[in-house]
Amino acid sequence: MALIKVTFNNEEIIRKELKDVCVIGRQEGCDIHIDNLGISRNHTRILREGDGFVVEDMNSSNGTYLNGTRVERQTLNDGDEIAIGKYVLTYVSGGAARPAAEKPKGTQIVSSAALPGGGALNTMSMDGDEMRKRIEEMRRQKEEADKQSQTATKPETPSVNLAEIRAREAEMKQLQGSLKKTKLIIALVTLAAIAAVVYFLFFHGAAA
């Protein structure tokens, strides 16, 4: 029976017998489920056609490549290699699948470990779980940095209005000047009163 061997980094991770329709993609429920952001939800499928099989791209973002050439639909020959993202699916026209490779309900799930490099989707090797962990870790680090920043922030120093200070200084000088004038006037009035009293007593006493 025809089968598909899925390899990642030259290591076989899935061996699955082909049925009439076999869908490969990131969406749960696919016949071969690959949880990787470089793979579309429904990326490609392999269909029985007569005595053989064909591969058909399902409008994937990063395309389906057969023996290095991007294809939309192509008949498969024994040993053909189908590349989607970082994964290689090898078509074997005859043979038996290993039962141990099958998951319950016939669904194979692959969750690759994060690998260095790759910015575009077709080169990304970070799986969904790893990506979520990284995002959560970044969010936690940002929250801790915000808390530390708030703790380290000192109360703002009130701004000083220089013009208002200068105006008050001028008012104080005016008040001081007025006070000096008032004191002088009081002193002069006091001296004049004393002089008047002395004059009155002197001349009054002389007349008496």
Side-chain angles (χ1 to χ4, degrees):
M1 179 176 289
L3 57 90
I4 282 290
K5 296 188 295 183
V6 182
T7 58
F8 181 75
N9 280 351
N10 297 321
E11 181 180 350
E12 183 178 328
I13 55 177
I14 297 173
R15 181 181 290 245
K16 182 175 178 63
E17 291 183 356
L18 288 174
K19 53 184 181 180
D20 291 341
V21 179
C22 180
V23 177
I24 302 101
R26 196 175 77 245
Q27 180 171 291
E28 292 187 10
C30 289
D31 299 291
I32 297 179
H33 175 207
I34 303 177
D35 186 13
N36 184 278
L37 294 179
I39 309 299
S40 297
R41 289 182 175 85
N42 293 291
H43 196 107
T44 191
R45 60 184 176 182
I46 299 173
L47 310 171
R48 184 184 297 277
E49 190 173 87
D51 294 334
F53 287 87
V54 298
V55 61
E56 183 177 79
D57 185 73
M58 300 178 71
N59 296 319
S60 63
S61 299
N62 298 316
T64 299
Y65 292 80
L66 180 64
N67 299 326
T69 302
R70 187 165 183 167
V71 296
E72 297 297 329
R73 180 184 172 90
Q74 185 68 40
T75 301
L76 292 173
N77 296 311
D78 186 49
D80 279 348
E81 292 185 344
I82 305 163
I84 56 173
K86 293 277 187 176
Y87 296 82
V88 176
L89 290 69
T90 303
Y91 171 70
V92 180
S93 61
R98 294 191 299 239
E102 295 291 339
K103 288 279 184 181
K105 299 182 181 179
T107 300
Q108 299 293 335
I109 300 176
V110 178
S111 181
S112 66
L115 296 176
L121 285 177
N122 62 338
T123 61
M124 292 183 67
S125 59
M126 183 179 294
D127 61 29
D129 291 337
E130 185 69 17
M131 177 67 77
R132 284 189 289 271
K133 290 178 182 178
R134 288 288 182 88
I135 293 173
E136 186 61 31
E137 178 66 17
M138 291 172 64
R139 184 183 295 113
R140 185 184 64 79
Q141 291 176 355
K142 183 178 183 302
E143 290 176 353
E144 290 180 356
D146 291 342
K147 289 180 181 178
Q148 293 177 358
S149 176
Q150 291 174 2
T151 303
T153 301
K154 297 181 179 179
E156 294 183 359
T157 304
S159 60
V160 178
N161 192 327
L162 294 178
E164 184 177 351
I165 291 175
R166 288 173 181 172
R168 291 188 178 183
E169 288 178 350
E171 290 178 1
M172 290 296 294
K173 288 180 180 179
Q174 290 179 358
L175 289 174
Q176 289 175 355
S178 299
L179 183 59
K180 287 180 180 180
K181 289 180 181 179
T182 302
K183 287 181 178 180
L184 181 60
I185 292 171
I186 292 172
L188 292 174
V189 171
T190 302
L191 289 174
I194 293 172
V197 170
V198 171
Y199 177 80
F200 177 78
L201 291 175
F202 179 77
F203 286 101
H204 234 321

